[in-house]
Amino acid sequence: MIAALVIEDGIAGHSLLRRLATPGAAGRDLADAVHALCSVHGRLTDVFEEAAQRSVAALDNRWIAVANAAFQDERAYLAHLTAAVGPLPSTPGQAESDAAFAALRHTFDMLARSDRAGCSTGAALALVIDWHAFRTILDAAAHRAGSPVTPSQLPALAETESIAVAHGANAAVRRAMAFGAQQTFAQHRGLCDLIEARANARDRL
């Protein structure tokens, strides 16, 4: 089910990525995207740590430790880029955006800490999958800012997707994994929509 969700709901095909990955992308749009990602995913609360505490016995959970360590590096890269790209661009409706970022953080915390077996694992899988797409934005911002690109150590997409379709978990756990993944993909789509709307609002000034 998660493999199908990747195609339908993952952010890899979102128009924001096409907009920001082009050589002519506005520097302020890249900077705003970096700040937004840092606001949502740059905190100490970690979905991978939560997933490790709620691991599904029927699955090979060794990938969680690898992803957890790798995402610490991603968070450090994100923090470095947030400083490198400069201040948050002035954008209409900032208070509303801040409220939306807070709501996203709360939702991710709820998914990560869910006691429903498999939910946090599905959320962690979806985060890895979508982060490979977010990396397109981060690396473009690094190039624009003249900052070195830190190679990602996150599990590869093929490896992550193979875990998502692995057999062993019962039907209830598979449904919970799919729910965690679906909700994570949905929150990321909403985040991309918000970043794109902020860019459009600046263009209208």
Side-chain angles (χ1 to χ4, degrees), residues 14-196:
H14 196 284
S15 57
L16 177 70
L17 273 74
R18 295 192 296 273
R19 175 175 183 157
L20 296 186
T22 60
R28 63 183 183 179
D29 292 347
L30 287 167
D32 191 64
V34 170
H35 279 278
L37 285 169
C38 190
S39 176
V40 174
H41 285 302
R43 305 161 304 131
L44 292 178
T45 300
D46 196 324
V47 65
F48 301 106
E49 292 178 355
E50 299 293 339
Q53 295 176 21
R54 297 165 173 79
S55 59
V56 179
L59 299 178
D60 182 352
N61 294 288
R62 289 173 294 181
W63 71 274
I64 295 179
V66 175
N68 184 27
F71 205 75
Q72 304 310 313
D73 294 338
E74 293 300 304
R75 185 175 286 114
Y77 182 46
L78 184 56
H80 172 77
L81 283 179
T82 303
V85 299
L88 181 70
S90 178
T91 307
Q94 185 62 51
E96 291 83 355
S97 293
D98 289 340
F101 294 143
L104 284 165
R105 291 193 298 267
H106 176 71
T107 299
F108 282 121
D109 285 345
M110 294 293 289
L111 289 170
R113 294 169 177 164
S114 172
D115 289 329
R116 185 180 175 188
C119 181
S120 58
T121 299
L125 284 165
L127 177 54
V128 171
I129 291 167
D130 270 353
W131 199 259
H132 281 282
F134 280 132
R135 255 300 188 133
T136 304
I137 296 174
L138 297 182
D139 293 349
H143 285 300
R144 181 63 61 87
S147 182
V149 173
T150 302
S152 175
Q153 301 300 318
L154 283 170
L157 278 175
E159 178 185 353
T160 305
E161 291 176 6
S162 69
I163 295 167
V165 299
H167 298 288
N170 61 41
V173 169
R174 289 198 299 272
R175 286 194 297 271
M177 288 175 63
F179 174 80
Q182 185 177 40
Q183 291 301 307
T184 297
F185 289 139
Q187 299 308 310
H188 283 159
R189 289 199 315 278
L191 176 57
C192 288
D193 290 344
L194 176 57
I195 295 170
E196 192 166 43

